[in-house]
Each structure stands twice: as structure tokens, then as C-alpha cells.
Amino acid sequence: MDRNQLNQIAAEVIHSAIAVHKYLGPGLLESVYEHCLMKELELNNIPASRQVVIPLHYRGFELEKSY
């Protein structure tokens, strides 16, 4: 994937996040925004996954804690 494609995807994701925030407004729990953002991405045909586990590596060791 080239830089232009990545920039286009990033712009679409940002547009989706702004749309959710404009619709819901401030002050809700992060989980509410996350759930609505996933729906917005789906409506815009942008594939996404929620809460993907990312392993934590430090100095060549994989630590038990993941993010």
C-alpha cells in the first residue's frame, strides 16, 4: 500500500471519528464512542477490528502484559 492510499484511509477514519463526535457530543464513556465509531466505519466500508491485542516487547523479551 502506498503513501497516498494510507493517507486516504487515514482521512476517512478521521472523518468517521469526527462524525461520531459531532453526533454524540462530549462527555460519554470511551466505550460508547468506540462502539459507534465501529458502526460508522462499517457504514463507510472501512474494515476495522476492536481491541486487538498487541504484544509488548522490551529488550528482546515478550512481556505478559499486552495492549
Side-chain angles (χ1 to χ4, degrees):
M1 189 173 294
D2 69 16
R3 183 176 217 92
N4 288 332
Q5 290 172 312
L6 290 174
N7 285 336
Q8 180 61 37
I9 292 168
E12 291 172 9
V13 170
I14 291 168
H15 176 77
S16 296
I18 291 170
V20 169
H21 185 70
K22 281 184 177 181
Y23 188 85
L24 296 176
L28 299 174
L29 294 174
E30 178 184 343
S31 60
V32 173
Y33 295 107
E34 177 186 356
H35 190 78
C36 293
L37 178 59
M38 290 302 295
K39 179 51 77 177
E40 188 69 26
L41 294 173
E42 178 186 323
L43 291 170
N44 288 294
N45 297 314
I46 302 170
S49 300
R50 290 176 67 177
Q51 300 291 324
V52 176
V53 175
I54 300 171
L56 176 61
H57 293 98
Y58 179 72
R59 293 186 173 217
F61 297 95
E62 184 170 339
L63 306 178
E64 292 183 26
K65 180 72 175 166
S66 298
Y67 292 93

